[in-house]
Amino acid sequence: MKFKKATSLFLATVALSSALVTSVSAQEQIVIGGNFEMSGGAAAYGSVMAKALELAVELRNAEGDVLDGYQLATTILDNKSDLTESSSVATRLTSDDKLVGIIGAATTGASQAEIPVITEAGVPAILPAATGDGITLANDGSVLEYLFRVCFADSYQGTAGASYAFNELGAKKVAILSDQATDYSQGLANAFKEEFEKLGGEVVANASYQSGDADFSATLTTLLTQDFDVLYIPGYYTEVGLIIKQAREFGLTQPIVGGDGLASDTLVELAGQANVNDVYYTAHFSPNSEEEDVQNFLKAYKEKFGQEADSFAALSFDASNLLIDAIERAGSADRAAVTKAIAETQDFDGVTGTFSIDDQHNPVKPVTMIKLTAGEIESAEEYSAE
């Protein structure tokens, strides 16, 4: 679905309800499910994704019926950032005969938990931000028929981060500080290290922390004794914000590079605006884009929810519109037909960029490299490690 709409359509969203379960008056409905972490540890991701799904459906309904006389509706449920609950939510969603597909979950673990359910039910699910390597593949390496994503994989952004550090920042020596408790952080760290050494760089320190840590002074004191050009921290904003704050206060002035887990305003709040300088991260989206599609989306989201859309909202918006587009291309709400249409997607025009779905159900697109100065986005550029 091409997202180039008149301004009046976006202004009209102000009057629409902000309830997380959208009901429509049309007798015939096509239901899109949302399996999101709206509470718990990953709520900062899942809650905005739920809002973006709601917005995408309301905007499409404002254009008129889908297919012949149908309106879209959403059923959005909270998986509470819990793996068992994510599976339960998927079961509840797929039991609805009017459900054609699911958006979510947000995290890799919660997404993996729903795979057996959607596979048995034959319901396609599009993951906005589950970046874990190989998530769209079964244990035997075959492609999971009903699972897709619109975000790039951990290994790709780790590789892109290493290439950027070496080629654009001129780093010859790096230190890596990763979260030993998450596959996400370890996946990025391993890909970064492999690519950086392949390019001819040297990893002089490979330190670790654990999710939930708040005091990083011992590790940072050790890093002060090392000679390196860039510090790579592939983690989530909750810990990385504190690491940045303490690193700058300890006197570590080197550029800091991270992954998409840094894409949250809370990162700056935790780090302190004055400390967030020379910080870079691989992202899926930039609000500074001058593309009309992007600015219309940002305007609509802000007017409806009273807050700025982040990259996770943008990814969910693209996943939602991809599913809607597949329904329309399939000419049917039949789950199998819609699944086939998603797999055949070429040159989808989303707010996170134009992408196609490859034969492993991943999007083909570059990363966006964000640079933060004084806690604000100074620049955003597309970057490919290819």
Side-chain angles (χ1 to χ4, degrees), residues 24-38:
V24 295
S25 58
Q27 185 174 2
E28 298 293 340
Q29 295 182 354
I30 295 173
V31 177
I32 295 176
N35 182 357
F36 293 119
E37 295 82 335
M38 295 161 61

PDB file of all heavy atoms in Angstrom, residues 24-38:
ATOM      1  N   VAL A  24     -15.759  -1.397  14.287  1.00  0.00           N
ATOM      2  CA  VAL A  24     -16.299  -0.645  13.181  1.00  0.00           C
ATOM      3  C   VAL A  24     -17.750  -1.034  12.995  1.00  0.00           C
ATOM      4  O   VAL A  24     -18.188  -2.104  13.390  1.00  0.00           O
ATOM      5  CB  VAL A  24     -15.494  -0.911  11.873  1.00  0.00           C
ATOM      6  CG1 VAL A  24     -14.081  -0.409  12.014  1.00  0.00           C
ATOM      7  CG2 VAL A  24     -15.486  -2.391  11.540  1.00  0.00           C
ATOM      8  N   SER A  25     -18.495  -0.118  12.380  1.00  0.00           N
ATOM      9  CA  SER A  25     -19.934  -0.327  12.280  1.00  0.00           C
ATOM     10  C   SER A  25     -20.331  -1.227  11.120  1.00  0.00           C
ATOM     11  O   SER A  25     -21.446  -1.723  11.066  1.00  0.00           O
ATOM     12  CB  SER A  25     -20.634   1.029  12.142  1.00  0.00           C
ATOM     13  OG  SER A  25     -20.144   1.725  11.009  1.00  0.00           O
ATOM     14  N   ALA A  26     -19.414  -1.412  10.178  1.00  0.00           N
ATOM     15  CA  ALA A  26     -19.755  -2.232   9.019  1.00  0.00           C
ATOM     16  C   ALA A  26     -20.103  -3.649   9.457  1.00  0.00           C
ATOM     17  O   ALA A  26     -19.486  -4.210  10.354  1.00  0.00           O
ATOM     18  CB  ALA A  26     -18.591  -2.269   8.033  1.00  0.00           C
ATOM     19  N   GLN A  27     -21.068  -4.244   8.786  1.00  0.00           N
ATOM     20  CA  GLN A  27     -21.511  -5.584   9.166  1.00  0.00           C
ATOM     21  C   GLN A  27     -20.431  -6.616   8.887  1.00  0.00           C
ATOM     22  O   GLN A  27     -20.234  -7.552   9.659  1.00  0.00           O
ATOM     23  CB  GLN A  27     -22.791  -5.941   8.395  1.00  0.00           C
ATOM     24  CG  GLN A  27     -23.387  -7.283   8.814  1.00  0.00           C
ATOM     25  CD  GLN A  27     -24.719  -7.546   8.147  1.00  0.00           C
ATOM     26  OE1 GLN A  27     -25.182  -6.740   7.347  1.00  0.00           O
ATOM     27  NE2 GLN A  27     -25.342  -8.664   8.471  1.00  0.00           N
ATOM     28  N   GLU A  28     -19.712  -6.441   7.786  1.00  0.00           N
ATOM     29  CA  GLU A  28     -18.665  -7.378   7.421  1.00  0.00           C
ATOM     30  C   GLU A  28     -17.310  -6.828   7.851  1.00  0.00           C
ATOM     31  O   GLU A  28     -16.961  -5.689   7.524  1.00  0.00           O
ATOM     32  CB  GLU A  28     -18.675  -7.632   5.912  1.00  0.00           C
ATOM     33  CG  GLU A  28     -19.968  -8.251   5.402  1.00  0.00           C
ATOM     34  CD  GLU A  28     -20.164  -9.674   5.915  1.00  0.00           C
ATOM     35  OE1 GLU A  28     -19.160 -10.285   6.323  1.00  0.00           O
ATOM     36  OE2 GLU A  28     -21.300 -10.142   5.913  1.00  0.00           O
ATOM     37  N   GLN A  29     -16.557  -7.609   8.581  1.00  0.00           N
ATOM     38  CA  GLN A  29     -15.264  -7.173   9.083  1.00  0.00           C
ATOM     39  C   GLN A  29     -14.153  -8.142   8.699  1.00  0.00           C
ATOM     40  O   GLN A  29     -14.373  -9.347   8.591  1.00  0.00           O
ATOM     41  CB  GLN A  29     -15.283  -7.059  10.617  1.00  0.00           C
ATOM     42  CG  GLN A  29     -16.207  -5.997  11.159  1.00  0.00           C
ATOM     43  CD  GLN A  29     -16.119  -5.923  12.668  1.00  0.00           C
ATOM     44  OE1 GLN A  29     -15.457  -6.733  13.306  1.00  0.00           O
ATOM     45  NE2 GLN A  29     -16.782  -4.938  13.253  1.00  0.00           N
ATOM     46  N   ILE A  30     -12.990  -7.571   8.499  1.00  0.00           N
ATOM     47  CA  ILE A  30     -11.755  -8.336   8.387  1.00  0.00           C
ATOM     48  C   ILE A  30     -10.918  -7.933   9.590  1.00  0.00           C
ATOM     49  O   ILE A  30     -10.619  -6.749   9.776  1.00  0.00           O
ATOM     50  CB  ILE A  30     -11.014  -8.028   7.080  1.00  0.00           C
ATOM     51  CG1 ILE A  30     -11.834  -8.481   5.874  1.00  0.00           C
ATOM     52  CG2 ILE A  30      -9.642  -8.704   7.073  1.00  0.00           C
ATOM     53  CD1 ILE A  30     -11.245  -8.058   4.544  1.00  0.00           C
ATOM     54  N   VAL A  31     -10.558  -8.888  10.409  1.00  0.00           N
ATOM     55  CA  VAL A  31      -9.880  -8.587  11.669  1.00  0.00           C
ATOM     56  C   VAL A  31      -8.372  -8.796  11.547  1.00  0.00           C
ATOM     57  O   VAL A  31      -7.908  -9.818  11.036  1.00  0.00           O
ATOM     58  CB  VAL A  31     -10.434  -9.458  12.815  1.00  0.00           C
ATOM     59  CG1 VAL A  31      -9.674  -9.183  14.116  1.00  0.00           C
ATOM     60  CG2 VAL A  31     -11.925  -9.187  13.016  1.00  0.00           C
ATOM     61  N   ILE A  32      -7.632  -7.804  12.028  1.00  0.00           N
ATOM     62  CA  ILE A  32      -6.180  -7.906  12.149  1.00  0.00           C
ATOM     63  C   ILE A  32      -5.848  -7.958  13.633  1.00  0.00           C
ATOM     64  O   ILE A  32      -6.291  -7.106  14.405  1.00  0.00           O
ATOM     65  CB  ILE A  32      -5.471  -6.715  11.484  1.00  0.00           C
ATOM     66  CG1 ILE A  32      -5.723  -6.720   9.971  1.00  0.00           C
ATOM     67  CG2 ILE A  32      -3.963  -6.755  11.770  1.00  0.00           C
ATOM     68  CD1 ILE A  32      -5.144  -5.527   9.250  1.00  0.00           C
ATOM     69  N   GLY A  33      -5.084  -8.960  14.023  1.00  0.00           N
ATOM     70  CA  GLY A  33      -4.731  -9.120  15.427  1.00  0.00           C
ATOM     71  C   GLY A  33      -3.421  -8.446  15.765  1.00  0.00           C
ATOM     72  O   GLY A  33      -2.540  -8.296  14.923  1.00  0.00           O
ATOM     73  N   GLY A  34      -3.306  -8.038  17.031  1.00  0.00           N
ATOM     74  CA  GLY A  34      -2.059  -7.491  17.540  1.00  0.00           C
ATOM     75  C   GLY A  34      -1.617  -8.268  18.765  1.00  0.00           C
ATOM     76  O   GLY A  34      -2.379  -8.408  19.728  1.00  0.00           O
ATOM     77  N   ASN A  35      -0.422  -8.842  18.725  1.00  0.00           N
ATOM     78  CA  ASN A  35       0.156  -9.576  19.853  1.00  0.00           C
ATOM     79  C   ASN A  35       1.342  -8.750  20.338  1.00  0.00           C
ATOM     80  O   ASN A  35       2.443  -8.847  19.798  1.00  0.00           O
ATOM     81  CB  ASN A  35       0.590 -10.971  19.411  1.00  0.00           C
ATOM     82  CG  ASN A  35       1.160 -11.798  20.553  1.00  0.00           C
ATOM     83  OD1 ASN A  35       1.295 -11.341  21.674  1.00  0.00           O
ATOM     84  ND2 ASN A  35       1.502 -13.050  20.261  1.00  0.00           N
ATOM     85  N   PHE A  36       1.108  -7.907  21.358  1.00  0.00           N
ATOM     86  CA  PHE A  36       2.118  -6.925  21.731  1.00  0.00           C
ATOM     87  C   PHE A  36       2.431  -6.915  23.222  1.00  0.00           C
ATOM     88  O   PHE A  36       1.573  -7.191  24.060  1.00  0.00           O
ATOM     89  CB  PHE A  36       1.661  -5.517  21.329  1.00  0.00           C
ATOM     90  CG  PHE A  36       1.573  -5.294  19.859  1.00  0.00           C
ATOM     91  CD1 PHE A  36       0.365  -4.956  19.270  1.00  0.00           C
ATOM     92  CD2 PHE A  36       2.682  -5.419  19.042  1.00  0.00           C
ATOM     93  CE1 PHE A  36       0.263  -4.740  17.906  1.00  0.00           C
ATOM     94  CE2 PHE A  36       2.602  -5.214  17.669  1.00  0.00           C
ATOM     95  CZ  PHE A  36       1.385  -4.871  17.104  1.00  0.00           C
ATOM     96  N   GLU A  37       3.662  -6.530  23.528  1.00  0.00           N
ATOM     97  CA  GLU A  37       4.123  -6.351  24.897  1.00  0.00           C
ATOM     98  C   GLU A  37       3.684  -4.969  25.390  1.00  0.00           C
ATOM     99  O   GLU A  37       4.453  -4.013  25.402  1.00  0.00           O
ATOM    100  CB  GLU A  37       5.659  -6.471  24.958  1.00  0.00           C
ATOM    101  CG  GLU A  37       6.182  -7.838  24.593  1.00  0.00           C
ATOM    102  CD  GLU A  37       6.306  -8.105  23.094  1.00  0.00           C
ATOM    103  OE1 GLU A  37       5.584  -7.463  22.299  1.00  0.00           O
ATOM    104  OE2 GLU A  37       7.105  -8.959  22.702  1.00  0.00           O
ATOM    105  N   MET A  38       2.453  -4.863  25.820  1.00  0.00           N
ATOM    106  CA  MET A  38       1.914  -3.582  26.249  1.00  0.00           C
ATOM    107  C   MET A  38       2.138  -3.324  27.733  1.00  0.00           C
ATOM    108  O   MET A  38       1.854  -2.243  28.245  1.00  0.00           O
ATOM    109  CB  MET A  38       0.432  -3.505  25.890  1.00  0.00           C
ATOM    110  CG  MET A  38       0.215  -3.505  24.376  1.00  0.00           C
ATOM    111  SD  MET A  38      -1.456  -3.964  23.899  1.00  0.00           S
ATOM    112  CE  MET A  38      -2.386  -2.667  24.697  1.00  0.00           C
TER     113      MET A  38
END
